[in-house]
Amino acid sequence: MTTQTKPENGQKAASLRRSAYDMSAEMLSQEIERRVLAVTVDNESGVLARVIGLFSGRGYNIESLTVAEVDHTGHISRITIVTSGTPMVLRQIVTQLDRMVPVHRVTDLTIEGPSLEREMALVKVASKGEARVEALRLKDAFRAHVLDATLESFVFEVTGSPEKIDAFVDLMRPLGLVEICRTGIIAIKRGAEGI
Amino acid sequence: MSDIMTGAQIVVKALKDQGVDTIFGYPGGAVLPIYDEIFQQEGIKHILVRHEQGAGHAAEGYARTTGKPGVVLVTSGPGVTNVVTALQDALMDSIPLVCISGQVPTFLIGNDAFQEADTVGITRPCTKHNWLVKDAETLAPTIHEAFQVATTGRPGPVLIDIPKNVQMTNGTYQRPTGKPHKSYRPRVKGDLDQITRAVELIEQAQKPVFYTGGGVVNSGPAATQLLREFARSTGFPVTSTLMGLGCYPASDKQFLGMLGMHGTYEANLTMHDCDVMICVGARFDDRITGRTDAFSPNSRKIHIDIDPSSINKNIAVDVPIIGDVAHVLEDMLRVWKARGRKKQSVAAWWDQIEEWRSVDCLKYKPSKKTIKPQYALERLQALTKDRETYITTEVGQHQMWAAQFMKFEEPNRWMTSGGLGTMGYGVPAAVGVQAARPDGLVIDIAGEASFLMTMQEMSTAVQYNLPIKIFILNNERLGMVRQWQQLLHGERYSHSWSEALPDFVKLAEAFGCKGIKCEDPAKLDKAIEEMIAYDGPVIFDCLVEKHENCFPMIPSGKAHNEMLLGEASTEGAIDEQGAALV
Ligand SMILES: Cc1ncc(C[n+]2csc(CCOP(=O)(O)OP(=O)(O)O)c2C)c(N)n1
Ligand SMILES: [Mg+2]
């Protein structure tokens, strides 16, 4: 989801830069950074809509978002959001999330790192002959698993960093790639400490 | 009464336990059980408005005058969609509102039932939080939680959507527990290290300014007192946003008037040239900053705000202090005194400010023939200043002139739609203020166009004997739009005429109010006195100069020191790029 406004032409760009609304005026030169946020929330109805609505309403980016209940007795869900923006925007994202009523805690895992990021993908490949053999060989190299097999297809499960999954998917493309499904990133801090 | 009761009874009981004495609402199928309970009780007064938007703004007016949350009751579907404008208005201006809406029964939700709307979906972005209550057992705790959320931290509107079957089934009533919320805990005490850093800056300041806002009003009377004490003991100049007017007495010579797009010359130049800015409960919005990259370029900025997301949103600050204004000012003042009340001489700074002040930026060309809008407000100010006067406004030129020419000595006397700029706010807000202050003189300073947006609430005023005065600065124009078209769009006055206006005197009479019309400056005082003396609602049609512009003005996208002072300075002052901004 990319909702940040990009000026379309020179004329408009110049005027936008002068807009008092355009926060990025002084931020334009600043680099866009990527962040992984862990957000713990009450697992109540509508909470995900609130979080997503905040991002779309204020024009923030979501590169990926995953959510599941992590504490079934306390009904706490953990949302992992990968986002990007200038430092000022990123600060806004954290404080805007943090002030929402059902949000317990927002942790910037990129800043508070080191942290581990993992993503899982299910990849369907249909091929015969040498391509099929090559797909199987690559599966081993990427430590993927075969979840389903027919005489002309496989479903692989591959886990790792997003880059590793990208690489695996790219290799499968010429080998009969049919379909991809990815979870988006989940992340956790290294070491003994929790968030 | 046992603790088992119907959902509708729980609602009324919870409201009473929250200290509610007045609610503003409009009935319909999905809230009939609650209305039935209201009928059978005493203690809560219900004011029947004429449109749900009016209920919302009336509750806002009530809240801003009293400091208590305003309560709104509406039915499902159109009842809710009508109140959305007021919810967003309250969100932008940080006004505590609790809106209770009826919903179709739980078993019909999602079926496109009659008068069904996705209320929590529609109001999610325009409330601080909202709830759909599906079980009468959770109703009481949810209502108490709603009051807590609306009134603490940065105040704002909340909504509780209650399906009709939940109103009719039994549940257990639970009293407010006073327990802290499990996830929502706004911070009220400021960080002492940051406060000390702020005091160090204040001690060294040679060109300081207090930039105060609506957060001071919201923080309550203690915040106002502390601000006044701090400002007086330092001798620093004070300016205020539109929302903060009244926190610092307008008559005090340390007060520079309002800042921002239509603020005073001295306030804006003081902000531009200062070396230490102490922002107290304001949020650096675009109407204040103008061009952000030229905003107060040489100052170190201290920012006190209860909402962490307000800090570093538009303007990067040096010393952020997250906390409630009253708490933070108390600590700050204590630290400053403990360190020996040190300060630099600000005499040279005041000399400079007095020079700016001597420009007399609010002066206008008087006229003997037509009533100048500024003159009308000067007279209104003079003739009301010794009374307990409350001013509401609509949105437009008249609003900005009101902010410039009405002088507020106390907070909670001025209610205006700042953040959202909602035309139609003033009449219902006046209804709400008058309901809270039956003995006050409540005046809506209106434009003729804005008045037409919510004028049906005159009927509410008549019904409840609320003697509000609508003082229309009638320029027969959407004046503020016309001004922008003149200055920014080559004098092409596209649809900015108020044509086919009603006869406001007859309209007043049709409502059962008094109508007064005045177009002669010489007769104005007498007419205003007649309005004040009348014991009942009045519509005052004050025909004013039609083409007067509101100055000073900082055009969008310009810096504070690029202010337009009057007609002579407007030639070519606004370039094409400026026209793209709002
Ligand atoms: C609901 C709404 N619609 C449109 C606007 C845009 N707008 C701002 S001021 C204005 C003109 C207001 O005219 P009037 O009430 O006569 O006040 P004046 O400026 O003439 O004093 C308009 C249309 C608004 N602020 N609110
Ligand atoms: Mg007008």
Side-chain angles (χ1 to χ4, degrees):
Chain A
M1 194 187 331
T2 313
T3 29
Q4 241 162 19
T5 44
K6 286 259 159 57
E8 291 104 295
N9 56 48
Q11 168 70 49
K12 196 151 172 229
S15 61
L16 272 182
R17 222 173 295 129
R18 297 167 61 103
S19 166
Y21 283 152
D22 187 14
M23 270 229 328
S24 58
E26 60 262 90
M27 296 283 132
L28 266 183
S29 59
Q30 296 209 23
E31 261 170 59
I32 303 287
E33 294 171 17
R34 172 184 177 275
R35 291 290 164 78
V36 181
L37 306 178
V39 188
T40 48
V41 300
D42 276 331
N43 185 14
E44 59 182 35
S45 96
V47 68
L48 190 58
R50 281 179 212 286
V51 170
I52 292 174
L54 171 72
F55 278 76
S56 63
R58 293 186 183 263
Y60 306 144
N61 292 321
I62 299 180
E63 285 176 13
S64 86
L65 185 148
T66 66
V67 57
E69 190 171 84
V70 289
D71 172 352
H72 296 309
T73 44
H75 301 293
I76 303 288
S77 288
R78 177 163 168 148
I79 305 177
T80 308
I81 305 172
V82 182
T83 182
S84 61
T86 62
M88 215 152 149
V89 169
L90 291 167
R91 193 68 224 138
Q92 271 293 298
I93 292 174
V94 170
T95 51
Q96 293 282 358
L97 283 169
D98 203 34
R99 72 176 186 155
M100 298 178 103
V101 172
V103 169
H104 287 259
R105 177 186 273 274
V106 185
T107 311
D108 185 330
L109 290 173
T110 311
I111 288 197
E112 292 194 18
S115 61
L116 296 167
E117 294 175 18
R118 283 295 177 271
E119 188 175 4
M120 190 176 94
L122 301 180
V123 181
K124 184 176 285 187
V125 179
S127 48
K128 285 188 173 149
E130 189 47 38
R132 180 174 167 85
V133 178
E134 183 60 18
L136 264 189
R137 249 186 249 131
L138 286 166
K139 173 220 63 158
D140 288 338
F142 278 78
R143 292 197 220 169
H145 304 283
V146 176
L147 295 187
D148 177 65
T150 67
L151 285 177
E152 64 261 22
S153 71
F154 289 117
V155 173
F156 296 124
E157 173 202 310
V158 57
T159 306
S161 69
E163 294 75 27
K164 173 180 163 184
I165 291 173
D166 284 345
F168 183 70
V169 168
D170 281 347
L171 288 168
M172 289 301 126
R173 229 175 277 283
L175 302 177
L177 182 72
V178 173
E179 191 176 337
I180 317 159
C181 178
R182 297 172 70 147
T183 57
I185 281 171
I186 54 168
I188 200 162
K189 256 197 229 177
R190 282 182 186 271
E193 210 185 299
I195 60 169
Chain B
M1 208 199 280
S2 100
D3 284 349
I4 303 294
M5 55 185 94
T6 67
Q9 288 169 333
I10 289 175
V11 170
V12 172
K13 178 126 181 62
L15 293 180
K16 284 188 175 164
D17 278 356
Q18 289 292 339
V20 173
D21 54 23
T22 309
I23 62 182
F24 302 89
Y26 207 87
V31 278
L32 284 179
I34 298 175
Y35 270 88
D36 203 22
E37 287 308 319
I38 289 174
F39 187 83
Q40 300 176 53
Q41 56 87 48
E42 273 164 35
I44 295 181
K45 180 170 186 185
H46 176 276
I47 293 189
L48 177 71
V49 294
R50 298 301 186 265
H51 184 290
E52 290 85 352
Q53 181 189 355
H57 294 321
E60 286 187 272
Y62 176 93
R64 262 193 101 64
T65 338
T66 59
K68 295 186 351 181
V71 180
V72 181
L73 178 58
V74 297
T75 194
S76 66
V80 165
T81 54
N82 273 351
V83 87
V84 163
T85 301
L87 294 176
Q88 179 68 10
D89 194 272
L91 186 75
M92 298 284 277
D93 284 344
S94 311
I95 312 293
L97 285 195
V98 176
C99 179
I100 293 173
S101 57
Q103 179 57 283
V104 301
T106 45
F107 49 84
L108 284 181
I109 289 179
N111 283 20
D112 296 329
F114 177 63
Q115 296 197 325
E116 180 182 357
D118 175 8
T119 298
V120 287
I122 290 170
T123 61
R124 196 177 287 127
C126 60
T127 52
K128 187 171 166 185
H129 197 63
N130 61 14
W131 296 262
L132 169 63
V133 182
K134 289 186 178 161
D135 176 2
E137 283 301 322
T138 58
L139 191 50
T142 305
I143 295 173
H144 299 317
E145 181 186 357
F147 274 85
Q148 186 187 8
V149 170
T151 54
T152 57
R154 180 176 177 176
V158 298
L159 178 140
I160 311 160
D161 199 26
I162 312 177
K164 191 169 182 180
N165 58 332
V166 175
Q167 298 169 33
M168 297 174 80
T169 48
N170 280 339
T172 319
Y173 182 72
Q174 295 167 45
R175 258 155 270 279
T177 60
K179 269 197 268 166
H181 194 279
K182 59 183 188 278
S183 54
Y184 166 79
R185 294 185 191 173
R187 177 172 184 161
V188 288
K189 288 286 272 182
D191 181 277
L192 261 187
D193 289 343
Q194 294 289 54
I195 290 174
T196 309
R197 278 184 61 208
V199 169
E200 282 165 13
L201 284 183
I202 289 168
E203 288 170 348
Q204 290 152 22
Q206 292 177 330
K207 299 196 275 178
V209 64
F210 280 103
Y211 152 41
T212 65
V216 185
V217 184
N218 280 337
S219 179
T224 302
Q225 285 318 312
L226 287 158
L227 171 72
R228 292 175 180 203
E229 185 187 344
F230 205 4
R232 282 178 184 140
S233 41
T234 53
F236 292 176
V238 182
T239 180
S240 168
T241 66
L242 182 72
M243 297 310 294
L245 293 175
C247 293
Y248 200 79
S251 60
D252 191 294
K253 60 183 191 344
Q254 277 171 254
F255 190 61
L256 308 181
M258 181 176 76
L259 80 161
M261 184 174 270
H262 292 289
T264 67
Y265 187 65
E266 52 271 32
N268 284 327
L269 287 189
T270 300
M271 289 288 282
H272 187 268
D273 281 12
C274 69
D275 65 357
V276 172
M277 180 187 295
I278 309 147
C279 169
V280 191
R283 60 185 175 90
F284 294 94
D285 86 295
D286 57 273
R287 283 295 182 272
I288 295 305
T289 61
R291 198 172 122 195
T292 47
D293 59 3
F295 174 70
S296 193
N298 303 314
S299 62
R300 311 264 262 149
K301 299 174 185 73
I302 299 161
H303 186 182
I304 305 169
D305 203 305
I306 199 159
D307 177 4
S309 75
S310 282
I311 287 174
N312 288 330
K313 180 164 64 183
N314 304 322
I315 297 290
V317 297
D318 302 277
V319 185
I321 304 171
I322 294 158
D324 169 60
V325 167
H327 285 84
V328 173
L329 283 183
E330 188 181 10
D331 285 343
M332 214 179 224
L333 203 51
R334 194 162 32 76
V335 171
W336 182 68
K337 285 176 180 167
R339 289 166 55 105
R341 298 167 169 267
K342 281 181 281 202
K343 70 183 196 85
Q344 308 298 313
S345 163
V346 287
W349 182 225
W350 271 112
D351 287 346
Q352 170 68 76
I353 293 170
E354 290 305 338
E355 208 180 303
W356 290 325
R357 201 179 247 168
S358 67
V359 166
D360 192 10
C361 67
L362 298 179
K363 70 169 174 280
Y364 59 93
K365 234 196 247 137
S367 163
K368 285 223 158 59
K369 281 213 245 31
T370 55
I371 301 176
K372 290 283 187 146
Q374 301 96 325
Y375 175 75
L377 293 182
E378 275 177 350
R379 295 318 303 154
L380 188 67
Q381 162 67 22
L383 297 168
T384 58
K385 69 176 188 323
D386 297 327
R387 296 170 178 269
E388 185 195 337
T389 307
Y390 299 84
I391 301 289
T392 71
T393 75
E394 307 295 337
V395 171
Q397 290 179 316
H398 62 277
Q399 176 192 30
M400 293 297 112
W401 281 315
Q404 293 171 341
F405 288 88
M406 301 308 287
K407 306 293 175 201
F408 300 96
E409 301 295 311
E410 299 297 333
N412 308 101
R413 297 297 188 93
W414 162 248
M415 349 279 143
T416 194
S417 170
L420 196 62
T422 311
M423 289 171 71
Y425 169 87
V427 180
V431 166
V433 173
Q434 191 83 72
R437 296 284 181 258
D439 299 325
L441 172 62
V442 182
I443 304 173
D444 171 28
I445 296 176
E448 80 294 337
S450 297
F451 173 68
L452 291 179
M453 286 206 173
T454 51
M455 63 163 187
Q456 68 276 16
E457 301 306 337
M458 294 311 292
S459 172
T460 312
V462 172
Q463 180 180 346
Y464 295 95
N465 296 317
L466 302 171
I468 59 172
K469 318 296 180 202
I470 312 298
F471 190 73
I472 303 176
L473 293 178
N474 185 353
N475 51 13
E476 297 172 10
R477 303 286 181 281
L478 311 182
M480 190 58 94
V481 172
R482 190 206 53 73
Q483 175 167 347
W484 281 53
Q485 288 171 336
Q486 181 187 346
L487 299 178
L488 292 118
H489 293 273
E491 301 183 44
R492 290 178 296 280
Y493 299 115
S494 181
H495 300 274
S496 54
W497 296 63
S498 288
E499 276 174 278
L501 283 172
D503 177 329
F504 287 111
V505 173
K506 282 191 189 153
L507 185 69
E509 285 159 5
F511 273 120
C513 310
K514 184 178 181 60
I516 301 174
K517 180 172 177 165
C518 184
E519 50 191 326
D520 179 355
K523 295 188 181 143
L524 184 60
D525 274 25
K526 245 189 108 217
I528 292 176
E529 276 161 1
E530 188 189 348
M531 171 184 87
I532 296 170
Y534 183 72
D535 183 19
V538 176
I539 300 175
F540 189 119
D541 186 12
C542 186
L543 289 162
V544 295
E545 166 67 50
K546 300 185 199 321
H547 298 121
E548 193 75 11
N549 282 332
C550 182
F551 291 112
M553 176 177 182
I554 304 174
S556 294
K558 295 279 185 183
H560 278 180
N561 58 355
E562 297 176 276
M563 190 180 322
L564 309 179
L565 275 173
E567 300 294 350
S569 61
T570 60
E571 282 295 305
I574 301 171
D575 47 37
E576 297 251 309
Q577 289 167 348
L581 307 176
V582 293

